[in-house]
Amino acid sequence: MIGRTAILRLAAGAAGLGAVAGIGFLAYALHPAIAPIAPPAASSFSADSVERGRVLAAGGYCAECHTRRDGQQGVPLAGDYAMATPFGTIYSSNITPDAQTGIGRWSLAAFTRAMRQGVSRDGANLFPAFPFDHFTHMTDGDIADVYAYLMAQKPVHSVKRENTLPFPFDMRILQAGWKLLFLHPGAYTNDPAHDAQWNRGAYLAEGLSHCSACHTPRNAMGAEKASAPYDGAPVDNWIAPPLNATNPTPVTWTENEFFQYLRYGVAPLHGSAAGPMSPVVHGGLSEMPESDVHAIAHYLANIDHADARQPGDAQHLATAMASSTRDLTTPQTSDPDARLYQGACSACHANTGAQPVLGRPELALNNALWLDEPTNLYQVILRGIGTEEGQEGITMPSFYHALTDADLARLAAYLRRTRTTLPPWTDLEKKAAAVRATLPAPPVAASH
């Protein structure tokens, strides 16, 4: 038997280890403030560095997440963008060079620490809604160029709203525990098993452009699931589809399809960018060098195993096009759902050739019909696609006022059973109402 003295020694040892561990955690969690600086003049940065930073900031979607959009249009980069999380709402910070409310008194060292370690200038841990777990992989040179660009912008005095995180999720010191588990700091290093284009694409996709931040599901602590990279995830009331080989669409996302989509907002066989992806393309990647967008497409096509999947595409494409032609050539008088589709959709979505006409998306090839939920289909029908989304010069009207939730359910059921080989969706009318509830009602067009 273990004697009382031995038990006390073990207890004391355990307490000592716990104290050491606690001290070690505090040493990791607590960071000194970095001294503020006088706001640098925009002219102190070279024009080349500012321009490189502008392109990088576009490719990292800085303005998208640092500009308020709910209820009122904010000033670009002035923050206050609402990010809903399972733990509460986080409002983005002002990253203009305002000395009081922005980053005007941040040195390059302070900015680099925030990007690499998720630590503010004052030493506070940042919440991982800011994707420092991706930005940590950027090079020092790229971080410096983004800093130069931001510091060369007009200062905007703007105070963000307070976060609505409840206790204990509002305790920034606890974010250090999150980092211990999920942050892998350090600049990206090339993988010698792949070529230069693949490595450039990996650097951009995993670092600056943080693609997996939206396309990878999250665990209970809000971190990307390491076991399911690019498996798809819900984002801003949409579904970011899988970008890997689990993508369910019948025709492969090839390197060219990825490039066309990411560069121009429309993939010939898969349709247009809409919702949260539209600003990624039109406000972000469209500013990047074409070679960089090609590199991202090359990397994603490798993740998608495009080369191995392509041999079956011809048959899948023929089947999809046949389903579209059938709507135009087969009497549908006995199917009220088909008549609803013909009246509301077929004028723009019917195709009779061997491939879809660009600007006339074939729904049988679109992610929206092949996902586990009809969320994206409902979003597009209710919102439409505006002039600044998707393909240049092509718009889709909103059917928010024209179609009821019951109509949406009928359309979804019809398309799922006639355009895919998957089981039917369930609770379609209820889900249509849920998606509608997330959207502001567009103005009713005036009659003439």
Side-chain angles (χ1 to χ4, degrees), residues 237-238 375-384 435 438-439:
N237 301 309
W238 290 69
T375 306
N376 291 6
L377 177 66
Y378 286 157
Q379 282 279 6
V380 171
I381 294 173
L382 289 168
R383 292 176 71 259
V435 173
T438 68
L439 300 171

Side-chain angles (χ1 to χ4, degrees), residues 257-339:
E257 285 282 297
F258 274 123
F259 172 75
Q260 296 292 331
Y261 185 85
L262 296 174
R263 186 64 172 178
Y264 303 113
V266 58
L269 297 181
H270 291 93
S272 298
M277 266 306 296
S278 182
V280 168
V281 173
H282 297 296
L285 296 177
S286 63
E287 298 294 319
M288 297 284 284
E290 193 167 285
S291 60
D292 279 348
V293 183
H294 269 298
I296 295 173
H298 181 72
Y299 175 70
L300 293 178
N302 180 259
I303 290 175
D304 186 34
H305 298 169
D307 290 343
R309 299 175 67 195
Q310 274 187 269
D313 281 357
Q315 181 57 53
H316 293 313
L317 179 60
T319 301
M321 300 311 295
S323 70
S324 189
T325 302
R326 184 174 61 248
D327 277 331
L328 300 178
T329 59
T330 303
Q332 304 283 350
T333 55
S334 62
D335 189 339
D337 297 343
R339 293 202 303 273

Side-chain angles (χ1 to χ4, degrees), residues 62-269:
C62 297
E64 177 62 18
C65 288
H66 288 274
T67 305
R68 181 173 179 174
R69 303 185 191 281
D70 58 323
Q72 65 184 65
Q73 183 62 43
V75 178
L77 303 175
D80 207 31
Y81 176 80
M83 293 174 280
T85 78
F87 313 103
T89 301
I90 296 173
Y91 296 94
S92 63
S93 56
N94 181 345
I95 56 171
T96 73
D98 181 67
Q100 285 74 45
T101 64
I103 60 170
R105 305 199 71 188
W106 286 43
S107 63
L108 174 58
F111 184 77
T112 300
R113 184 173 71 169
M115 296 285 277
R116 287 218 188 281
Q117 301 176 39
V119 178
S120 181
R121 186 197 64 76
D122 63 5
N125 288 292
L126 297 172
F127 293 111
F130 173 61
F132 55 81
D133 52 328
H134 288 273
F135 294 152
T136 188
H137 303 312
M138 293 173 62
T139 65
D140 289 338
D142 281 353
I143 291 175
D145 286 338
V146 173
Y147 175 78
Y149 167 72
L150 294 176
M151 287 302 190
Q153 303 312 296
K154 180 180 178 180
V156 177
H157 188 86
S158 178
V159 179
K160 76 179 188 72
R161 288 165 285 179
E162 291 294 324
N163 299 331
T164 63
L165 299 173
F167 179 84
F169 302 113
D170 61 339
M171 297 180 65
R172 290 184 179 271
I173 193 171
L174 296 183
Q175 303 311 309
W178 191 96
K179 293 178 194 177
L180 275 172
L181 293 172
F182 305 115
L183 176 62
H184 306 288
Y188 176 80
T189 56
N190 286 342
D191 183 343
H194 294 280
D195 61 20
Q197 186 181 37
W198 187 97
N199 277 292
R200 178 63 178 171
Y203 168 76
L204 294 168
E206 304 299 343
L208 174 71
S209 297
H210 54 282
C211 302
S212 66
C214 288
H215 287 272
T216 295
R218 302 272 172 168
N219 62 26
M221 297 185 69
E224 296 173 31
K225 290 183 177 179
S227 61
Y230 293 104
D231 269 8
V235 175
D236 293 342
N237 301 309
W238 290 69
I239 298 173
L243 298 183
N244 56 25
T246 67
N247 186 286
T249 50
V251 174
T252 308
W253 276 89
T254 63
E255 184 172 331
N256 181 61
E257 285 282 297
F258 274 123
F259 172 75
Q260 296 292 331
Y261 185 85
L262 296 174
R263 186 64 172 178
Y264 303 113
V266 58
L269 297 181

Side-chain angles (χ1 to χ4, degrees), residues 15-30 173:
L17 288 173
V20 170
I23 293 170
F25 176 77
L26 287 175
Y28 178 82
L30 300 177
I173 193 171

